[in-house]
Amino acid sequence: MNFDLCIGVDYSGAKTPVTRSKTLQVYASHRGEEPSRVSSPSSSDKSSRNWCRREIACWLADQVNQGNRIIAGIDHGFSFPISYFERYGLESWPQFLADFVEYWPTDQDHVHVSEVRGHNNSFESKRTGTNKEFRLTERWSSSAKSVFQFDVQGSVAMSTHAGIPWLHQLKSELADRIHFWPFDGWDPPEDKSVIAEIYPSIFKNRYPRLDRTCDQQDAYSVAKWLSETSRSGFLNRYFNPPLNDKERTCAELEGWILGIS
């Protein structure tokens, strides 16, 4: 399975979707070449070349709209535990996305995840969970944390609550040109781009860090691993983790971290 671009995105849920941050990092490998850092395309001023979340979503859409077949691994949760779906009567991932952006409008320019959490129950009590709720894919990992576990080192809760609305936007904008794995099926068609949840800790120690920052190393290692496994023909194995029928049905709502098998 070959792609024009293999992209690693190290995400951050800090501040607003239009705030530039050095913790947002993007690396891309073009047709098997060594991954290189991709800077924000919006400015030639080096001091403002860090990304913001809105810009990353637009850039990913641009790559697909330009005719590139991409695979992008993004470092945040794409969905919530099955208990959340049952609690709020949600029956599909698209329904989950639409419902989430109603209660967590973290794609709006001046909305911060922490502000939504602090609205004296006007938001959080309607759509939330506890840090003891885990997805199946997290239980298969030795260190992945709950998507509801805020305010601890290594937590993805902020990134997840900031990033999910952009998945909704990309799905709406790109329609049938993009395959969100595994929600759209476990075997991506050969003619579609792919976006998948990733956990850089699985890969980052495989490759020398050199002079990259921690965030850069995370994005680099994802792009490198995606490039290597897709070109070697092994990526299809990771697209089909060894789940039984019940587990697979659950993961089709909760999502799965690509690379955990």
Side-chain angles (χ1 to χ4, degrees), residues 27-225:
Y27 272 73
S29 169
H30 181 263
R31 294 185 176 273
E33 295 176 354
E34 178 70 5
S36 59
R37 185 187 178 206
V38 182
S39 297
S40 163
S42 67
S43 174
S44 59
D45 181 359
K46 187 175 181 180
S47 65
S48 63
R49 293 179 71 186
N50 290 327
W51 294 88
C52 66
R53 293 192 292 274
R54 177 181 296 281
E55 207 168 49
I56 288 178
C58 292
W59 182 80
L60 290 171
D62 285 345
Q63 301 313 303
V64 177
N65 288 329
Q66 290 169 17
N68 292 311
R69 186 177 185 230
I70 72 169
I71 180 167
I74 305 178
D75 177 26
H76 67 68
F78 280 21
S79 189
F80 286 171
I82 195 71
S83 54
Y84 181 97
F85 282 78
E86 294 169 348
R87 185 158 57 247
Y88 299 118
L90 305 173
E91 298 180 352
S92 70
W93 188 64
Q95 186 182 12
F96 161 78
L97 292 179
D99 184 81
F100 183 88
V101 298
E102 179 179 351
Y103 292 98
W104 289 84
T106 51
D107 56 335
Q108 296 181 13
D109 282 359
H110 303 293
V111 175
H112 189 298
V113 172
S114 295
E115 292 176 341
V116 180
R117 289 178 65 204
H119 272 182
N120 296 321
N121 296 328
S122 64
F123 281 96
E124 190 177 20
S125 63
K126 297 178 182 179
R127 292 291 186 269
T128 190
T130 74
N131 60 15
K132 297 186 183 302
E133 292 179 85
F134 291 90
R135 297 178 296 159
L136 182 62
T137 190
E138 291 151 359
R139 295 198 296 270
W140 276 41
S141 163
S142 63
S143 57
K145 294 177 173 59
S146 168
V147 292
F148 301 124
Q149 187 169 4
F150 289 91
D151 306 324
V152 296
Q153 185 174 3
S155 168
V156 298
M158 287 280 288
S159 295
T160 297
H161 285 72
I164 286 175
W166 299 109
L167 303 181
H168 180 256
Q169 176 174 305
L170 287 169
K171 186 170 180 61
S172 299
E173 179 178 346
L174 299 174
D176 60 356
R177 288 171 292 165
I178 199 80
H179 185 97
F180 284 91
W181 180 88
F183 309 101
D184 294 330
W186 295 93
D187 296 298
E190 291 287 342
D191 61 343
K192 290 189 178 183
S193 291
V194 179
I195 295 184
E197 179 181 345
I198 213 79
Y199 185 34
S201 293
I202 300 174
F203 319 116
K204 66 180 181 181
N205 291 331
R206 300 185 187 189
Y207 310 109
R209 178 171 159 180
L210 303 179
D211 60 347
R212 290 182 286 270
T213 67
C214 290
D215 299 304
Q216 290 170 352
Q217 177 68 4
D218 283 354
Y220 167 88
S221 63
V222 170
K224 180 76 169 178
W225 182 81

